[in-house]
């Protein structure tokens, strides 16, 4: 299985504080469900325990939106939630 990233996804990851290794982990071991337009969402929580934008958060949850192309995942965008 190969995982590749759209430029938009890479930009959003940087903007939202998400690492490539977190995205890969979410795809390999996270919760998986269907989304619109034949996309798949992978969700995973990570222990965070740091400040993000000046506020301390214990958990970072990421959602990875991807499409499967010939058994390879193409990441379209990534959302991060801190709590």
């Amino acid at each position: 299985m190969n995982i590749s990233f759209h430029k938009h996804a890479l930009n959003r990851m940087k903007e939202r504080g998400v690492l490539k290794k977190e995205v890969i982990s979410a795809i390999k071991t996270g919760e998986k469900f269907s989304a619109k337009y034949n996309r798949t969402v992978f969700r995973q929580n990570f222990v965070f325990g740091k400040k993000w934008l000046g506020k301390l958060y214990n958990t970072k949850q990421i959602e990875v939106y991807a499409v499967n192309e010939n058994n390879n995942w193409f990441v379209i965008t990534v959302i991060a939630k801190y709590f």
Side-chain angles (χ1 to χ4, degrees), residues 2-48:
N2 234 354
I3 299 172
S4 58
F5 295 82
H6 189 282
K7 184 179 179 183
H8 171 83
L10 294 171
N11 288 336
R12 296 298 79 79
M13 287 165 58
K14 183 177 179 183
E15 178 181 277
R16 296 169 179 163
V18 177
L19 306 173
K20 272 190 177 182
K21 68 179 183 177
E22 293 170 329
V23 172
I24 293 166
S25 176
I27 290 172
K28 290 183 176 181
T29 64
E31 178 186 4
K32 176 181 172 181
F33 54 94
S34 298
K36 289 182 180 180
Y37 311 114
N38 207 25
R39 295 180 181 166
T40 301
V41 180
F42 299 91
R43 180 186 297 145
Q44 189 168 11
N45 290 346
F46 297 91
V47 175
F48 191 62

Side-chain angles (χ1 to χ4, degrees), residues 1-2 4 10 14 26 33 39 47-48 50-52 58-59 62-64 75 77-78 81:
M1 166 183 57
N2 234 354
S4 58
L10 294 171
K14 183 177 179 183
F33 54 94
R39 295 180 181 166
V47 175
F48 191 62
K50 299 181 216 171
K51 285 187 176 185
W52 175 252
N58 292 321
T59 305
I62 67 166
E63 291 183 351
V64 178
V75 178
T77 196
V78 177
K81 298 173 186 173

Side-chain angles (χ1 to χ4, degrees), residues 64-78:
V64 178
Y65 288 76
V67 292
N68 192 306
E69 298 177 340
N70 302 318
N71 254 0
N72 296 306
W73 289 106
F74 182 60
V75 178
I76 298 168
T77 196
V78 177

